[in-house]
Amino acid sequence: MDEALLRSLTPSVLAILVRRGADFAAAEDSVQDALVEAVRSWPADPPRDPKGWLVTVAWRKFLDATRSDAARRRREDRVDEEPAPGPAPAADDTLQLYFLCAHPSLTPSSAVALTLRAVGGLTTRQIAQAYLVPEATMAQRISRAKRTVSGVRFDRPGDVATVLRVLYLVFNEGYSGDVDLAAEAIRLTRQLAAAIDHPEVAGLLALMLLHHARRATRTAPDGSLVPLAEQDRGRWDSGAIAEGVEILQAALARDRLGEFQAQAAIAALHADAPTAEETDWVQIVEWYDELVRLTDSPVVRLNRAVAVGEADGPRAGLAALAALDAALPRHAAVAAYLHERVGDLATAARLYAEAAHKAPDLAERDHLTRQAARLNACRGR
């Protein structure tokens, strides 16, 4: 069973059902039922037209789910619109569906969560981690969003800012390796950049390209994480870096700074440094100051503390870190790194172990565990 194929077809099938009059929540349920049926039947009897098969089965399941006396007249009208046999249209509806999910009836955060779940294929747990909220809270938010758009006609698509936020989070989840969605997010952002003249769209595309250029060096052959300072810069994709920098420079020249442009500027400074030691940390701190002004995000402040520690020394970094909530994800890992830089190996080892316990995935947990073991071994000598 080609799960990647099913994932790639899901947005288009969902969009077709919505355009044919299905409300979003019912359409999503029907598509999920069709996917389950595909997993069951395709290995023994693969269809010649997978997309057409999914559209037909999902539509029939939608009709079955809506059969009732109260809905009989509407159901009979919809039966006449059942997709005809034969190949389904080859149009790519994914980006359109992103806009449809960013409906004005939803708050931006709810629209993002709904799209990540329904279109991006992320789990509720993954979305909750991205938003720094408990999984149960995110499950309730997604359920409320589905109820809100149930029965709503999707003729007023949402704004660009919400769609950008969704694309950014999909890229980050794909880049992490849990779900391989990074390339798809770049593809959709390219489409958006070609259709809309918007500096933040360009900024997001530049940011994705600059991060993606380093992807091959982020993990070792055994799957372990490789920190940025230890990555083989000769293996970075110079073409993607050059394209990202060119796009970013054009966006910055328009003097309409946004958070994606600022993040891309930081990524460009890392990409421009021949070695980790030659990184322009002073300028990176200045860009983080801009990001704090634009977002006031605690995660941005956490990353800024790392940059301050590199630019002004680890004690300055610890001072910046002291103002932040210790419950922040990766706070303990940052504190461990800065304490190690100061020379307090005992505290650093303890904090690395604490950070490993809180790590969101196995690769990061193993990396932090090895850091703690390394420092404990140094102390024992």
Side-chain angles (χ1 to χ4, degrees):
M1 171 56 59
D2 190 342
E3 294 183 6
L5 174 62
L6 287 176
R7 187 182 299 120
S8 68
L9 293 175
T10 297
S12 185
V13 175
L14 182 55
I16 289 171
L17 264 65
V18 170
R19 283 204 303 271
R20 291 183 178 276
D23 68 74
F24 187 89
E28 188 200 6
D29 289 342
S30 299
V31 172
Q32 294 300 319
D33 288 342
L35 293 175
V36 171
E37 182 68 17
V39 171
R40 186 188 67 79
S41 65
W42 283 13
D45 184 21
R48 288 192 298 271
D49 177 19
K51 181 178 176 180
W53 188 98
L54 285 172
V55 170
T56 300
V57 173
W59 185 256
R60 288 173 177 168
K61 288 185 177 295
F62 166 71
L63 293 177
D64 289 342
T66 56
R67 273 192 187 96
S68 67
D69 291 338
R72 187 180 303 278
R73 185 182 300 276
R74 183 176 60 184
R75 183 183 69 253
E76 291 172 351
D77 291 339
R78 287 172 176 169
V79 167
D80 294 335
E81 300 173 7
E82 181 172 342
D92 182 357
D93 303 295
T94 307
L95 188 57
Q96 179 191 15
L97 192 59
Y98 272 66
F99 272 96
L100 293 178
C101 286
H103 196 271
S105 62
L106 296 173
T107 64
S109 61
S110 293
V112 170
L114 177 62
T115 313
L116 291 174
R117 185 71 186 92
V119 188
L122 274 64
T123 66
T124 303
R125 178 185 61 80
Q126 289 168 324
I127 302 169
Q129 288 175 347
Y131 270 89
L132 311 181
V133 299
E135 184 175 348
T137 300
M138 183 53 64
Q140 292 174 355
R141 184 179 300 178
I142 293 172
S143 295
R144 285 197 300 269
K146 289 181 180 180
R147 288 196 298 270
T148 299
V149 300
S150 181
V152 169
R153 296 295 298 182
F154 285 85
D155 55 356
R156 295 166 56 219
D159 66 344
V160 175
T162 301
V163 173
L164 289 180
R165 177 63 51 193
V166 174
L167 288 169
Y168 177 58
L169 291 173
V170 168
F171 175 82
N172 280 343
E173 196 59 50
Y175 192 61
S176 75
D178 290 338
V179 181
D180 191 11
L181 294 171
E184 173 70 357
I186 291 174
R187 183 183 71 83
L188 292 173
T189 307
R190 283 192 188 279
Q191 286 187 6
L192 190 57
I196 300 177
D197 184 19
H198 193 299
E200 273 293 82
V201 176
L204 178 58
L205 179 56
L207 175 63
M208 289 178 174
L209 289 169
L210 290 163
H211 278 312
H212 206 61
R214 305 198 302 258
R215 185 174 191 180
T217 65
R218 293 184 73 244
T219 56
D222 63 359
S224 60
L225 292 181
V226 179
L228 176 61
E230 300 173 17
Q231 291 174 15
D232 180 358
R233 297 176 183 233
R235 294 178 57 211
W236 288 358
D237 185 340
S238 59
I241 291 173
E243 183 185 4
V245 168
E246 181 180 0
I247 292 171
L248 172 62
Q249 288 175 339
L252 292 175
R254 301 179 64 176
D255 198 25
R256 290 168 55 193
L257 184 64
E259 66 171 293
F260 293 123
Q261 295 169 71
Q263 288 190 54
I266 293 170
L269 286 167
H270 283 297
D272 186 56
T275 66
E277 292 73 23
E278 296 173 87
T279 303
D280 189 346
W281 287 105
V282 172
Q283 194 172 168
I284 287 176
V285 171
E286 292 173 356
W287 278 113
Y288 271 121
D289 289 339
E290 290 288 347
L291 264 178
V292 169
R293 180 181 63 80
L294 289 166
T295 68
D296 196 29
S297 163
V299 175
V300 170
R301 291 181 181 275
L302 184 68
N303 291 332
R304 179 185 177 277
V306 177
V308 168
E310 299 291 351
D312 301 327
R315 295 190 185 281
L318 286 170
L321 190 65
L324 303 179
D325 185 353
L328 274 174
R330 297 187 171 88
H331 184 285
V334 171
Y337 173 73
L338 293 171
H339 276 287
E340 180 182 357
R341 291 276 314 282
V342 168
D344 186 353
L345 301 189
T347 299
R350 175 179 58 79
L351 288 169
Y352 275 130
E354 177 184 330
H357 181 70
K358 299 177 180 178
D361 58 68
L362 181 60
E364 186 172 341
R365 181 163 68 248
D366 288 348
H367 171 74
L368 293 168
T369 300
R370 284 194 296 271
Q371 296 304 307
R374 173 178 57 81
L375 294 186
N376 285 325
C378 289
R379 293 171 55 216
R381 291 172 186 169

